[in-house]
Amino acid sequence: MSDQAHAPTSRPKPPPAGEEEASATLKLGEFQDVDTLTLSEASLVINALMVKRRKDRKDRNETDVLNKTLDYLDAFARFKQKENVEAVERLLSAHKELTKFERAQIGSLCCDSADECKTLIPSLAEKISDEDLQELLDEMAKLMTS
């Protein structure tokens, strides 16, 4: 038998899961107080940046990941017009009782009902009444069709 060290035969353990959790109680770790964008806002920002880069002829860095991200945002961003994106942001920002993360989730998911919204975003349960949430969702829905 040789005294040589052998490589381990099993895979290393994956690192332990972080503290992040978006359930009834938000635990976002290092992202707790970070500004959060809706998919529509992210689409506006990235598309504006791409237009500027193309205008400045600095579009050499368009990667496959960037193009796939843009495709995803184009498919799932609910508000396409800048005015509507800004109006939704104003509606959401008026609800100071909600975290930035919760407001971004509401603006991205665009649920039909308060019940659906609270099911998908459990941390909303005790923060906003069903009536107030439904009113917010109804106002947002008007902006999707205009």
Side-chain angles (χ1 to χ4, degrees):
M1 291 248 162
S2 162
D3 287 337
Q4 291 178 321
H6 294 284
T9 56
S10 64
R11 292 186 295 192
K13 284 185 177 180
E19 297 293 318
E20 297 86 6
E21 182 179 318
S23 61
T25 304
L26 289 179
K27 298 177 186 169
L28 301 178
E30 65 183 288
F31 303 104
Q32 190 68 42
D33 296 314
V34 173
D35 284 334
T36 312
L37 299 176
T38 65
L39 295 176
S40 299
E41 290 171 316
S43 179
L44 270 183
V45 169
I46 293 174
N47 278 306
L49 178 65
M50 296 308 299
V51 167
K52 182 177 180 343
R53 281 186 175 178
R54 288 180 184 131
K55 187 175 129 185
D56 296 344
R57 302 195 189 283
K58 295 179 182 176
D59 57 349
R60 293 181 290 274
N61 293 333
E62 286 190 30
T63 64
D64 190 42
V65 171
L66 177 60
N67 288 323
K68 287 180 181 181
T69 300
L70 288 169
D71 289 345
Y72 177 88
L73 292 172
D74 287 343
F76 294 105
R78 302 296 182 119
F79 306 97
K80 307 295 184 186
Q81 298 173 351
K82 182 179 181 185
E83 300 79 28
N84 292 353
V85 174
E86 291 169 347
V88 168
E89 173 56 25
R90 284 191 300 276
L91 285 171
L92 292 168
S93 292
H95 289 274
K96 301 295 183 199
E97 72 275 22
L98 305 177
T99 67
K100 295 172 184 177
F101 176 81
E102 291 164 333
R103 293 191 301 253
Q105 291 300 299
I106 292 169
S108 291
L109 294 171
C110 296
C111 299
D112 292 326
S113 71
D115 183 55
E116 177 188 16
C117 197
K118 286 184 174 183
T119 299
L120 295 174
I121 312 168
S123 61
L124 296 177
E126 303 300 322
K127 291 187 176 180
I128 186 170
S129 71
D130 287 354
E131 295 77 20
D132 288 346
L133 182 54
Q134 189 61 55
E135 185 179 326
L136 172 61
L137 296 173
D138 291 345
E139 289 299 313
M140 288 172 44
K142 291 176 190 174
L143 294 166
M144 275 195 281
T145 58
S146 58

